[in-house]
Amino acid sequence: VCGKQMYFPFALEKFPKNIDYEMMNEQRIGRVNLELNFQYLSLNYGPNHEGVKAVAVGQVVDDDIDIIKEVGLEIWNNLLFSDEYIEVILENDCEV
């Protein structure tokens, strides 16, 4: 409806006190966000047109952008045309 974004529910019991927001319609493809009020983690796999604030928590590396575009399209088609579940596993292999 507002752009190319997939999202997943999560549970966060404590919110950070100092939060930096970004406008979703200005974010790069591959940005990972937390939505604190509705409790979901989102991943932009294409342009997003919704001018709302988001808590950016990560960025998909450039080499994997084409992969998330394919995954996003598969999830969208599954939502419209299938009753099958798609399991998406997100891994963080970055050292912090």
Side-chain angles (χ1 to χ4, degrees):
V1 175
C2 66
K4 295 184 176 183
Q5 179 187 75
M6 58 184 111
Y7 57 92
F8 319 91
F10 76 96
L12 184 65
E13 295 179 13
K14 294 181 181 180
F15 295 164
K17 293 183 181 180
N18 296 326
I19 300 173
D20 291 326
Y21 291 93
E22 295 180 357
M23 298 302 290
M24 290 176 74
N25 60 330
E26 297 173 1
Q27 292 180 327
R28 293 176 48 202
I29 295 172
R31 183 67 90 210
V32 181
N33 298 299
L34 286 179
E35 208 311 319
L36 299 176
N37 294 321
F38 296 110
Q39 298 275 302
Y40 68 79
L41 177 76
S42 67
L43 173 58
N44 298 338
Y45 67 92
N48 192 315
H49 309 293
E50 190 169 24
V52 297
K53 293 180 180 178
V55 181
V57 295
Q59 177 66 42
V60 173
V61 295
D62 290 340
D63 290 346
D64 291 341
I65 295 295
D66 288 338
I67 294 169
I68 65 165
K69 288 179 179 181
E70 290 178 31
V71 171
L73 181 59
E74 288 295 320
I75 290 172
W76 178 251
N77 287 335
N78 179 267
L79 175 69
L80 295 177
F81 307 115
S82 178
D83 293 333
E84 308 247 343
Y85 286 101
I86 294 178
E87 181 178 9
V88 177
I89 300 171
L90 300 175
E91 294 180 4
N92 178 3
D93 61 355
C94 298
E95 293 183 31
V96 179

